[in-house]
DNA sequence: ACAAAAGTGTTTTATTTACACCCATGA
DNA sequence: TCATGGGTGTAAATAAAACACTTTTGT
């Protein structure tokens, strides 16, 4: 998934079934690999994407007739690529805005919706933004990424503060040159951590402050 | 999973591999069923559990050698049974406290941990409590269930208020008789909804109040 | 009357959103 | 010096946790 608007990488099927429709990249699980290794391999081999910043399981899709012919059970993944990475793509492969998908093969549209939902949720309560952003960025660039992914305009001020309070951001000391129109140069930041973790431990029904009164932990 | 303490239903393997160790119920996916139908069928047929209040996918476990012999890819589920339901169990099958598991077969202990984590999280931001509780209950009974599942003592006062504010609870009008020691009779409640939904839309980075300033929804 | 359990009122604390205002730069 | 972003200070809003206190029952 990528930036400016949130995008998915799809390839256009040449053959039946569902010729000409757009498909999520993937393939068969090999005998000696687990599903995550497998999806990474497929992405590298088939669409030449090797710079995934984050990968996680979404769900298993297993309706008996989800695909014509032999029965196929698929494990769907959410895989993210930073906005500054632009892998060279094969001819039949293209990025598509998530909010404006072409006709998709099989149940792939519902898989994409599920991925979008997962990403949106995690932007709120984890540091998953690191997976969308370049190594260094200004707050307003980051704001753009969050806005694109979430589908509504995020306030740069508040984004700053939420991420800062959680200790996710770190100034690099550098500043970015202003555009031709002028304006104060923006400070550059980076994410402190480059792997996903939950940063907003669920706000509700949290353990009591003081003594642990109750049962086993 | 069940109540007083949170428990998992396990059966003891008679045969190798991993004879005598305890196993999560499950089995092979049939040709004409999806994974959720399949796990419900397995639970009904093999351990006679038919009253699941909630079922959801957890994750796929696919390490090539997670099970000796032929390669097995498993889709793990979280399945909940209300605390008042006590299904008759086969002889080799028993409930075990999640915090004190016997030696388990294969990677089943990590599956159970994952399930516990999922349940604990969802107790905070969804109405999933309905799946643990009987049709009608007092707040203090519900407090007991939440405490057992979460592993720490939850305040009845605050649990009340959080669930009430969200509109999840509904008084039945009935009251429960006090115990032998006296005390004010407790009002009975029920959950308004009996299927899971997210009730605490993530608090952070939510859309602006007023105009929708930004991009596509 | 008193103990026990339930339930309500109120204060405190945490955290975010909203908004006004100040800062640094280019033309 | 003014337009254009960038950044900070501060107030308002929200929601939950903590705790004191009242209510209703059995003995």
């Amino acid at each position: 998934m990528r930036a400016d608007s949130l995008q998915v990488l799809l390839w256009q099927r040449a053959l039946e079934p569902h010729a000409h429709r757009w498909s999520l990249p993937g393939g068969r699980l090999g005998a000696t690999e687990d599903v995550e290794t497998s999806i990474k391999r497929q992405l590298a081999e088939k669409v030449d994407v090797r710079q995934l910043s984050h990968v996680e399981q979404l769900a298993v899709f297993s309706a008996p007739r989800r695909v014509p012919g032999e029965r196929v059970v698929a494990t769907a993944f959410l895989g993210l690529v930073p906005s500054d990475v632009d892998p060279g793509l094969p001819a039949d492969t293209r990025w598509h805005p998530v909010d404006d998908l072409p006709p998709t093969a099989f149940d792939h549209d519902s898989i994409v919706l599920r991925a979008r939902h997962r990403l949106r949720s995690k932007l709120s309560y984890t540091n998953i933004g690191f997976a969308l952003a370049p190594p260094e960025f200004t707050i307003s660039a980051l704001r753009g990424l969050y806005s694109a992914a979430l589908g509504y305009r995020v306030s740069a001020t508040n984004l700053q503060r939420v991420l800062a309070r959680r200790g996710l951001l770190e100034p690099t000391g550098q500043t970015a040159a202003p555009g031709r129109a002028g304006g104060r140069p923006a400070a550059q930041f980076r994410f402190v951590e480059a792997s996903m973790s939950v940063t907003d431990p669920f706000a509700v029904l949290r353990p009591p402050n003081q003594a642990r009164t109750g049962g086993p932990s």
Side-chain angles (χ1 to χ4, degrees), chain A residues 132-146:
Chain A
L132 300 177
E136 299 191 0
F137 48 83
T138 64
I139 296 297
S140 72
L142 191 64
R143 189 257 303 260
L145 294 172
Y146 273 74

Side-chain angles (χ1 to χ4, degrees), chain A residues 2-194:
Chain A
R2 307 189 57 255
D4 192 75
S5 70
L6 186 63
Q7 304 198 22
V8 217
L9 189 61
L10 299 174
W11 64 276
Q12 193 167 27
R13 302 178 64 82
L15 307 176
E16 295 295 342
H18 287 200
H20 309 304
R21 308 187 77 140
W22 293 83
S23 220
L24 287 166
R28 304 187 84 86
L29 176 64
T32 61
E33 60 186 3
D34 63 23
V35 285
E36 184 166 326
T37 307
S38 180
I39 190 62
K40 287 177 180 164
R41 175 177 61 76
Q42 315 276 353
L43 290 174
E45 289 177 1
K46 298 198 179 171
V47 293
D48 204 37
V49 172
R50 295 157 202 281
Q51 302 152 81
L52 290 159
S53 43
H54 176 72
V55 172
E56 71 179 56
Q57 281 189 32
L58 271 181
V60 170
F61 288 77
S62 63
R65 318 212 77 94
R66 60 177 286 275
V67 167
E70 193 194 345
R71 203 262 172 82
V72 176
V73 173
T75 303
F77 281 82
L78 167 66
L80 300 172
V81 166
S83 65
D84 62 323
V85 169
D86 192 12
L89 301 178
D92 57 352
T93 300
R94 277 211 349 237
W95 293 99
H96 292 271
V98 168
D99 293 314
D100 183 24
L101 292 179
T104 59
F106 318 126
D107 50 5
H108 290 192
D109 47 348
S110 59
I111 295 178
V112 172
L113 285 184
R114 195 107 56 136
R116 186 182 70 173
H117 182 257
R118 177 73 65 87
L119 174 62
R120 287 181 174 178
S121 300
K122 290 210 163 173
L123 281 171
S124 238
Y125 68 93
T126 74
N127 66 345
I128 203 170
F130 83 87
L132 300 177
E136 299 191 0
F137 48 83
T138 64
I139 296 297
S140 72
L142 191 64
R143 189 257 303 260
L145 294 172
Y146 273 74
S147 298
L150 290 171
Y152 53 80
R153 186 150 297 284
V154 171
S155 143
T157 301
N158 294 334
L159 180 62
Q160 232 280 29
R161 282 206 254 234
V162 168
L163 299 185
R165 162 193 291 271
R166 294 180 178 169
L168 303 189
L169 296 183
E170 185 173 72
T172 65
Q174 309 283 80
T175 59
R180 28 203 148 340
R184 176 172 170 175
Q188 303 242 108
F189 292 84
R190 71 171 73 89
F191 276 93
V192 172
E193 261 194 293

